[in-house]
Each structure stands twice: as structure tokens, then as C-alpha cells.
Amino acid sequence: MHTFELPSGLEIELREMTGAEEELLTNQRLIRTGDAVNQALKNCIVRLGDNDEPTVKDVLDLLSGDRLFILVRLRQVSLGDEVELELTCPNTACRASNAVTVNLEELEVTPYGEEREFAFTLPGSGRKVRFSYLDGNKEKRLAALKEPSISSAMLIRIIDVDGAQPTKKLMNDMSMRDRSALRQEMLRVDAGVDTTVETDCESCGMRIRTRLEAEPGFLFPGVRL
């Protein structure tokens, strides 16, 4: 078994992934609903703090930064520290394949603070917004949307605006200045493991940017999905 401290400070014990988890993580129906990752995490978490029998609900209650941290550590203990990626250049005139190696042990981890709710004054309208962190429950709700958008990803984190329930209309009517400022504030307080991967295309020099968990080689090296 493998023990880690989550960005939130909670101690967790993990077992390696098996073929059962591989089947879960390649099941397209479960991927669409978000249940693939939730079930795989539940299967591999042996202990969550003092809880020796964590449930899917416990997994959903985890902050998103903790959930991604667990996924990264699961990959690490199951398949090793290094991830070999083949990144395709986004330049349509190039489309060259670029080999990149990422060491999971070297990823930057930002711990969560004690606060779970945040207040922010929009610079344009002066309205007061209260928002919270993203967690597994919110992720599941986002996955269930037919057309997820930037607005829905922000809206799902907002508790209230000037004490009133936030609405889709409110987000659509919000100025670009206020939306950008709020989005930056949400990013500023977020914590967890930074899975950003950046490199320059060896053929044309264009910048390639992705996230580890978005690449098939992260969990399934050598497999074409």
C-alpha cells in the first residue's frame, strides 16, 4: 500500500490499479457520466483519513484538487514516475508528433488553505460574489450537462451574488471584465497538482500546451484509444 498527504492535508492510502480499473477508465458510457473516475478512485482508495471503507459519496465529496492528485499518484504507483507522451502539433500546416517525458514526482503541488468559501468584489459592477472550490459532486453535475460552457463551469462554483442565487442570465449579462476577473480569482485560490504540459514543436516551433490527464498516454501508455 502507498500513503500520501492530499493537498487538503488529509492522509490517504492507495493500492495499485488493476485490470478492473483499466476496464472502468475505458468504458465510454461511464466516462461520459463521470462515473469511470469516481468508481476507479473508490476501488483504489484503501483509507481516507480515518475512514477504512470509503464510498463513492466520499470520493465525490473530495475537492477537485485532491481528486486529481489521487489520480496522478495512482498512475505513479501503478505504472511508474515517468509518463511518455506523443503530442501532435496544433499547427495544421505541421501536425508533427513530439515526444515528451514528464516525471510525476516533479509536478508542483499547491496545498489548500483553511478557507472553503471566498468573497470577491467584481471590479466593474462592484457586486459581491461568494464562491467555493470545485469538488466531485460539482464535476459530476458539469459532466451531465449537454452543452457545458465557461459560464456553467463558473456558475456551478458561485454560492450567491449580493446575497441572491446566481442564474445563467446573470452570468450571460456579466461584463467580460467582471467575468475575467472572477475567473482569475477562482484560479488564484485553486490548489492541487499542476498537470500542465508545455513544449515547443520540434518541427515548426509552435507552442504545444495540454494537461496530463487529457492525454491517453497518461493512464494507458502504448495503447491507442
Side-chain angles (χ1 to χ4, degrees):
M1 300 301 173
H2 307 268
T3 303
F4 299 97
E5 183 177 308
L6 298 179
S8 63
L10 196 64
E11 189 175 86
I12 191 170
E13 192 172 342
L14 304 174
R15 69 156 174 82
E16 294 181 23
M17 290 188 288
T18 66
E21 284 70 58
E22 184 173 59
E23 291 299 315
L24 283 169
L25 294 169
T26 54
N27 184 307
Q28 293 303 311
R29 179 181 61 82
L30 295 178
I31 289 172
R32 284 193 296 272
T33 62
D35 290 330
V37 169
N38 293 324
Q39 190 60 51
L41 293 183
K42 184 262 181 188
N43 288 359
C44 295
I45 297 174
V46 178
R47 179 175 59 82
L48 186 60
D50 295 328
N51 184 354
D52 292 329
E53 296 183 359
T55 64
V56 170
K57 181 184 182 303
D58 295 320
V59 170
L60 288 169
D61 288 343
L62 287 169
L63 297 174
S64 292
D66 283 349
R67 288 161 55 83
L68 182 54
F69 178 90
I70 295 170
L71 193 61
V72 168
R73 294 304 177 229
L74 270 179
R75 199 283 182 194
Q76 190 174 6
V77 301
S78 301
L79 294 167
D81 292 351
E82 291 193 344
V83 181
E84 304 286 346
L85 301 176
E86 289 290 334
L87 303 182
T88 301
C89 178
N91 181 355
T92 55
C94 177
R95 305 301 290 172
S97 181
N98 295 260
V100 177
T101 301
V102 179
N103 190 314
L104 299 178
E105 195 62 38
E106 297 175 356
L107 297 182
E108 182 179 355
V109 178
T110 302
Y112 283 102
E114 293 183 2
E115 293 181 274
R116 292 294 179 264
E117 293 183 5
F118 303 89
F120 181 68
T121 301
L122 299 176
S125 66
R127 304 184 76 175
K128 303 289 191 298
V129 178
R130 282 197 312 139
F131 67 92
S132 60
Y133 287 125
L134 197 63
D135 62 16
N137 295 292
K138 295 183 180 73
E139 286 181 16
K140 188 173 176 64
R141 284 161 54 194
L142 280 173
L145 295 177
K146 291 184 178 180
E147 296 182 358
S149 62
I150 294 175
S151 290
S152 56
M154 295 174 65
L155 184 62
I156 207 163
R157 294 182 60 174
I158 297 175
I159 300 169
D160 58 51
V161 180
D162 286 341
Q165 184 80 14
T167 63
K168 185 176 180 180
K169 183 178 185 304
L170 181 146
M171 292 303 302
N172 289 339
D173 291 344
M174 188 180 293
S175 70
M176 288 287 287
R177 177 188 179 190
D178 282 350
R179 284 167 63 98
S180 178
L182 179 57
R183 193 157 52 241
Q184 289 303 311
E185 181 65 8
M186 287 179 171
L187 288 172
R188 185 188 70 81
V189 302
D190 277 344
V193 57
D194 184 2
T195 59
T196 304
V197 179
E198 291 185 294
T199 190
D200 293 326
C201 177
E202 295 177 357
S203 295
C204 72
M206 177 169 277
R207 194 68 171 166
I208 303 173
R209 191 173 192 273
T210 187
R211 299 185 71 87
L212 262 179
E213 65 273 21
E215 298 299 321
F218 171 56
L219 289 175
F220 309 108
V223 176
R224 291 187 178 274
L225 298 177

